[in-house]
Amino acid sequence: MKKRVEYLITTGGLTVLYLVIMLLIVVGVLNGYYVGVIIAIGINIIVASSLNLATGFLGQLALGHAGFMAIGAYGAAHLGKYLMAVLVMPDFIKGIIVLVSCLLFGGILAAIAGLLIGIPSLRLRGDYLGIVTLGFGEIIRISIFNIEAIGGARTVLGIPKLVGITQIFILVAIVLAALYLLVRSRHGRAIISIREDEIAAEAVGVPTTFYKVYGFAISAFFAGIAGGTLAFYQGLIDPKKFTFMFSVEIFIIVVLGGMGSFTGTVIAAILLGVMNELLHAVDNWRMVIYAVVLIAMMIFRPKGLMGTYEFSLVKVVKDYIAKRKNQKTT
Amino acid sequence: MALLETKGLGITFGGLRAVGDFEITIGDHELVGLIGPNGAGKTTLFNLLTGVYLPTDGDVLVEGKSVVGLKPYQIVEKGLSRTFQNIRLFKDMTVLDNVKVAFHHKMSYGTANTLFRIPGSKYWKEEADIDKKGRELLALFKMEDNVNDMAKNLPYGKQRKLEIARALATEPKLLLLDEPAAGMNPQETKELMETIHFIRENFDVSILLIEHDMSLVMGICERIIVIDYGVIIAKGTPEEIKKNEKVIGAYLGQ
């Protein structure tokens, strides 16, 4: 099958999925509350898949993704507020331009932070790197609390609400596609080889230090985009959101879904998103239940829900065609 | 000009002199054996040559240019490639991907090309190219049926072969094999000897081989270097080495 056909199948599948969701909204099956839940899940998918790149594919324990998200959120929000006031053009076009440019800006800020933290700390391994990234996340949070110019400890208000169900759908599709394409390239192979065996990777010509920083910065970039998306969806930023526990929640999504599977991350994000809503009544016990789920997972399926398996619509179609051919010949 | 030349190469860990005054010259298309008792410094020497350790004295020249201070991946670009004593494969990658990683430094498309795969761009050309090269290489090693298997699922002998194939994929001028026969039964060792012969016939590469298995070393090497306590105690053809009293002393005790 030609590559072009394969891309068309994937795009077609996504379009159908989008139309189904829109239809359910128009018919009234999904009300505003459900749409809110779906958007929250979408943002979690973006940030968790970005963490999966650093943890699942590159193999580096990173516990500070809430920090990168916060940087992206603040960068995107403040630039967005400024641009909305300055630019003069039709609202629809202005919305798109502001959204795209601000998300990129937030992502790039987060990526720069990722470089700054990555270059000195990626010589560390395992637990040590985890502790450094954890500390970094806290530094970001406390810094934001103390910088009055960007809002300090107060909630940042007046951010344009530019993200709805359509935008989130497109963003999730773009981010997942970008990560998927990245992983299936020479860069992706270099990243995975570092997870598998750093010494062997270096011995067959992979510049491991470069690729660790590279993978970490790209991971931070997409986490920043997730942060910006969150800000433009809520129309406000609550600095108290980006705590260590939030980083852990993202981490749990990755571990549950499977380190090294974006499909798993999507499924786990949906499962935990739905579970979150069902557990509102027992909010105090939420983290306890998370912990129990995680322990059960480690005992019964330590690889995560999907391991490293990736769902592919193209593969399903191919298998179906092959099956049909078999039936015809026999 | 010699392919590889070391001058007074040595390294000291704390007070321990692991390798000292190591002088060796390897020319094109040679097969040299390196033997010595356990702890003699053989693997340390490999680590010095491939940039894992920084020598405390002496120099390593590849085609006349010093490679001391270069990172391991830069030394791969200079044409030195190695395997490991305890096999180090990318276990959760397919056999083909294991080989493809080794082509990394020969490829040049960037991140933008990865994300925007415009038809006819460098991405498609280079990926198609290494896909073909990788499959051909694996076919030479009779592993064409394993290309999509996970490396960890291969039998031991094939894992060794894959590691050698991966090292060859970097297109080295000198291949360093660290105890390739370790843990193999006599049948597998025999196959390995055939593989090494095969590599010499089909690739333009010199080989430096560390080995404990005397029959293997004596059987295929033209020149043998014996080290003990980090220093060379004998050099010569297999016949000379067999008769050398220092070697017999080091191996059997005096």
Side-chain angles (χ1 to χ4, degrees), chain A residues 157-168:
Chain A
L157 297 169
I159 303 164
K161 286 195 176 188
L162 298 173
V163 170
I165 185 83
T166 305
Q167 287 85 344
I168 205 79

Side-chain angles (χ1 to χ4, degrees), chain A residues 3-4 7 177-190 192-211 214 218 222 303 308, chain B residues 71-73 76-77 80-82 84 87-93 97 100-105 107-111 114-117 119 123-124 126-127 130 150 166-167 170:
Chain A
K3 282 280 161 201
R4 206 167 296 168
Y7 286 138
L179 286 170
Y180 189 85
L181 290 175
L182 183 76
V183 170
R184 271 152 192 74
S185 71
R186 76 183 186 112
H187 307 293
R189 280 195 297 270
I192 298 172
S193 75
I194 291 171
R195 172 192 74 192
E196 292 294 313
D197 194 321
E198 209 177 317
I199 294 170
E202 184 101 12
V204 293
V206 174
T208 52
T209 313
F210 171 81
Y211 272 104
Y214 172 93
I218 287 185
F222 286 117
K303 278 159 66 181
T308 55
Chain B
K71 294 250 170 46
Y73 75 89
V76 172
E77 287 164 14
L80 258 60
S81 185
R82 72 175 292 187
F84 295 88
I87 303 177
R88 285 177 175 273
L89 289 174
F90 307 127
K91 293 196 180 93
D92 271 318
M93 293 173 91
D97 275 349
K100 279 183 176 178
V101 171
F103 286 115
H104 181 88
H105 69 288
M107 304 168 81
S108 61
Y109 67 81
T111 309
T114 302
L115 298 180
F116 303 101
R117 300 178 176 181
Y123 170 86
W124 296 110
E126 290 189 350
E127 284 290 330
I130 66 152
M150 286 293 161
R166 190 182 65 185
T170 65

Side-chain angles (χ1 to χ4, degrees), chain A residues 189-264:
Chain A
R189 280 195 297 270
I191 285 173
I192 298 172
S193 75
I194 291 171
R195 172 192 74 192
E196 292 294 313
D197 194 321
E198 209 177 317
I199 294 170
E202 184 101 12
V204 293
V206 174
T208 52
T209 313
F210 171 81
Y211 272 104
K212 279 204 274 184
V213 175
Y214 172 93
F216 202 67
I218 287 185
S219 173
F221 174 79
F222 286 117
I225 291 211
T229 312
L230 180 70
F232 286 131
Y233 162 60
Q234 290 184 324
L236 54 87
I237 305 174
D238 176 8
K240 287 184 277 302
K241 182 177 172 63
F242 304 104
T243 56
F244 168 60
M245 283 326 284
F246 186 51
S247 292
V248 171
E249 273 184 53
I250 302 165
F251 194 75
I252 290 174
I253 293 176
V254 173
V255 174
L256 269 187
M259 302 248 213
S261 165
F262 292 123
T263 312

Side-chain angles (χ1 to χ4, degrees), chain B residues 130-193:
Chain B
I130 66 152
D131 192 76
K132 189 162 150 272
K133 272 196 200 161
R135 283 171 195 275
E136 281 171 3
L137 183 66
L138 288 169
L140 281 179
F141 284 85
K142 299 198 177 59
M143 289 170 68
E144 62 268 44
D145 295 333
N146 300 106
V147 283
N148 291 322
D149 293 349
M150 286 293 161
K152 64 180 173 191
N153 295 335
L154 290 179
Y156 189 78
K158 279 195 172 171
Q159 292 198 3
R160 277 282 179 211
K161 265 197 196 171
L162 175 59
E163 206 192 14
I164 296 173
R166 190 182 65 185
L168 283 170
T170 65
E171 294 172 19
K173 295 174 191 124
L174 175 63
L175 183 62
L176 306 160
L177 301 176
D178 196 347
E179 291 204 32
M184 282 189 170
N185 61 35
Q187 174 60 29
E188 286 170 327
T189 307
K190 200 168 147 270
E191 276 175 32
L192 179 76
M193 278 170 84

Side-chain angles (χ1 to χ4, degrees), chain B:
Chain B
M1 194 190 313
L3 180 56
L4 175 82
E5 195 179 355
T6 64
K7 289 180 179 163
L9 187 66
I11 186 168
T12 308
F13 296 114
L16 177 77
R17 188 139 185 85
V19 173
D21 279 332
F22 194 89
E23 307 243 348
I24 179 181
T25 313
I26 298 179
D28 287 329
H29 222 74
E30 270 198 286
L31 174 49
V32 181
L34 180 67
I35 60 173
N38 282 330
K42 303 183 295 290
T43 300
T44 307
L45 180 74
F46 265 29
N47 286 335
L48 285 173
L49 295 178
T50 54
V52 178
Y53 296 149
L54 193 67
T56 42
D57 40 348
D59 204 355
V60 181
L61 306 172
V62 175
E63 295 188 313
K65 281 184 198 130
S66 174
V67 296
V68 168
L70 293 184
K71 294 250 170 46
Y73 75 89
Q74 291 169 316
I75 290 181
V76 172
E77 287 164 14
K78 300 276 177 209
L80 258 60
S81 185
R82 72 175 292 187
T83 65
F84 295 88
Q85 192 171 347
N86 43 345
I87 303 177
R88 285 177 175 273
L89 289 174
F90 307 127
K91 293 196 180 93
D92 271 318
M93 293 173 91
T94 64
V95 169
L96 185 58
D97 275 349
N98 261 275
V99 174
K100 279 183 176 178
V101 171
F103 286 115
H104 181 88
H105 69 288
K106 300 264 178 203
M107 304 168 81
S108 61
Y109 67 81
T111 309
N113 205 177
T114 302
L115 298 180
F116 303 101
R117 300 178 176 181
I118 300 151
S121 65
K122 234 183 190 174
Y123 170 86
W124 296 110
K125 243 170 59 196
E126 290 189 350
E127 284 290 330
D129 190 38
I130 66 152
D131 192 76
K132 189 162 150 272
K133 272 196 200 161
R135 283 171 195 275
E136 281 171 3
L137 183 66
L138 288 169
L140 281 179
F141 284 85
K142 299 198 177 59
M143 289 170 68
E144 62 268 44
D145 295 333
N146 300 106
V147 283
N148 291 322
D149 293 349
M150 286 293 161
K152 64 180 173 191
N153 295 335
L154 290 179
Y156 189 78
K158 279 195 172 171
Q159 292 198 3
R160 277 282 179 211
K161 265 197 196 171
L162 175 59
E163 206 192 14
I164 296 173
R166 190 182 65 185
L168 283 170
T170 65
E171 294 172 19
K173 295 174 191 124
L174 175 63
L175 183 62
L176 306 160
L177 301 176
D178 196 347
E179 291 204 32
M184 282 189 170
N185 61 35
Q187 174 60 29
E188 286 170 327
T189 307
K190 200 168 147 270
E191 276 175 32
L192 179 76
M193 278 170 84
E194 282 160 17
T195 306
I196 292 173
H197 272 301
F198 175 78
I199 292 169
R200 298 205 64 206
E201 281 159 22
N202 289 279
F203 295 86
D204 185 21
V205 66
S206 299
I207 298 175
L208 178 60
L209 177 81
I210 293 182
E211 194 45 72
H212 266 308
D213 191 315
M214 280 300 162
S215 61
L216 182 82
V217 180
M218 296 295 173
I220 61 176
C221 294
E222 293 133 20
R223 272 204 297 143
I224 292 175
I225 297 163
V226 190
I227 62 173
D228 194 18
Y229 295 108
V231 292
I232 297 177
I233 56 170
K235 284 182 184 180
T237 62
E239 289 309 313
E240 291 166 6
I241 295 298
K242 273 184 202 164
K243 290 177 202 144
N244 190 305
E245 281 180 11
K246 273 190 187 167
V247 178
I248 296 166
Y251 268 90
L252 299 178
Q254 278 150 328

Side-chain angles (χ1 to χ4, degrees), chain A residues 15-97:
Chain A
T15 316
V16 170
L17 181 63
Y18 174 69
L19 289 178
V20 168
I21 293 175
M22 288 317 277
L23 187 74
L24 288 177
I25 292 172
V26 173
V27 173
V29 179
L30 296 173
N31 59 26
Y33 169 71
Y34 288 127
V35 171
V37 173
I38 292 175
I39 292 178
I41 288 173
I43 293 169
N44 274 350
I45 290 177
I46 298 178
V47 65
S49 0
S50 82
L51 178 64
N52 203 344
L53 182 70
T55 303
F57 289 89
L58 185 60
Q60 310 297 320
L61 180 62
L63 292 172
H65 260 49
F68 294 126
M69 235 179 130
I71 293 174
Y74 273 84
H78 284 289
L79 184 66
K81 272 162 88 171
Y82 173 75
L83 285 183
M84 279 315 250
V86 172
L87 292 180
V88 185
M89 52 177 79
D91 271 355
F92 178 70
I93 302 172
K94 189 156 111 173
I96 292 176
I97 290 177

Side-chain angles (χ1 to χ4, degrees), chain A residues 300-317:
Chain A
F300 295 110
R301 204 173 156 77
K303 278 159 66 181
L305 284 173
M306 303 304 279
T308 55
Y309 173 81
E310 294 285 10
F311 172 78
S312 152
L313 191 61
V314 175
K315 216 156 71 189
V316 173
V317 172

